[in-house]
Amino acid sequence: MSVDLSTKIAGIRLSNCMYNASGVNCITGDELHILGKSKFTAVIQTKSCTLNSREGNPLPRYYDNSICSINSSGLPNLGYKYYSSISEEMSVYNKPYIVSVSGLSPNDNIVIVDHLKENLDVNGIELNLSCPNIVGKPQIGYDFCAMSTLLRRLFEDYAPTIINNQKQIFGLKLPPYFDISHFT
């Protein structure tokens, strides 16, 4: 007996509902090609990218034991232009290619999204508003005023182009809201 795991997200048909998070093992072209070849992933999603490449936080960045795991990657990535430049390579896998964006400032996010929305080989943009672990860069997803300002700028200036482009979707990655201050 086979089970159909296909689904649709924002009108894009996926062979199944599984794909990688914009975290580890999706930084390099080689890692993205592995995702493209995998029969278990329906999407190829990049590491959250910044304007320029970043090495991330010093090693060690990951710890686990029998109780928990902790990571503090600090956005190691090859910069948005790299992920945009390999989009045509990723199209050979016939899977949506999503570039995750996490600029170090609201303006960085706008610059990156503005560039990516012109690349029709990029099937989706994930705006990561929940990336922690960078000294001096709080999660914008916890600052409701800053998040509102950024989203207004993006949707007033850029959303009509993104929304009218049937090939490209736009999504948000938000942090968990578990503190009482988020509800008062």
Side-chain angles (χ1 to χ4, degrees), residues 39-180:
K39 66 180 180 179
F40 301 109
T41 60
V43 172
I44 304 166
Q45 180 161 284
T46 70
K47 171 70 177 157
S48 295
C49 63
T50 52
L51 279 178
N52 301 303
S53 63
R54 288 180 47 86
E55 296 217 9
N57 291 335
L59 297 173
R61 297 182 192 146
Y62 181 80
Y63 171 80
D64 71 21
N65 62 25
S66 63
I67 300 171
C68 68
S69 67
I70 299 172
N71 83 70
S72 177
S73 295
L75 285 176
N77 73 90
L78 299 174
Y80 80 98
K81 288 183 180 177
Y82 173 78
Y83 299 109
S84 182
S85 73
I86 65 168
S87 61
E88 190 175 346
E89 281 179 50
M90 296 298 125
S91 67
V92 302
Y93 298 110
N94 294 317
K95 296 179 179 183
Y97 179 63
I98 298 175
V99 176
S100 181
V101 174
S102 189
L104 298 179
S105 72
N107 195 59
D108 288 0
N109 288 319
I110 290 169
V111 168
I112 297 169
V113 168
D114 189 35
H115 174 83
L116 292 173
K117 73 178 177 145
E118 301 299 326
N119 183 338
L120 296 183
D121 289 321
V122 172
N123 304 106
I125 299 168
E126 174 195 80
L127 181 60
N128 182 351
L129 301 179
S130 69
C131 196
N133 304 320
I134 297 180
V135 174
K137 182 188 184 289
Q139 295 183 57
I140 195 169
Y142 286 142
D143 182 338
F144 295 141
C145 290
M147 183 170 57
S148 177
T149 299
L150 173 61
L151 293 176
R152 274 188 176 42
R153 284 184 65 195
L154 280 171
F155 282 95
E156 288 171 357
D157 296 339
Y158 303 106
T161 303
I162 294 169
I163 291 168
N164 291 329
N165 174 357
Q166 297 296 317
K167 285 187 71 178
Q168 203 171 56
I169 60 172
F170 185 85
L172 296 176
K173 179 179 178 188
L174 297 171
Y177 296 105
F178 52 82
D179 191 280
I180 194 66

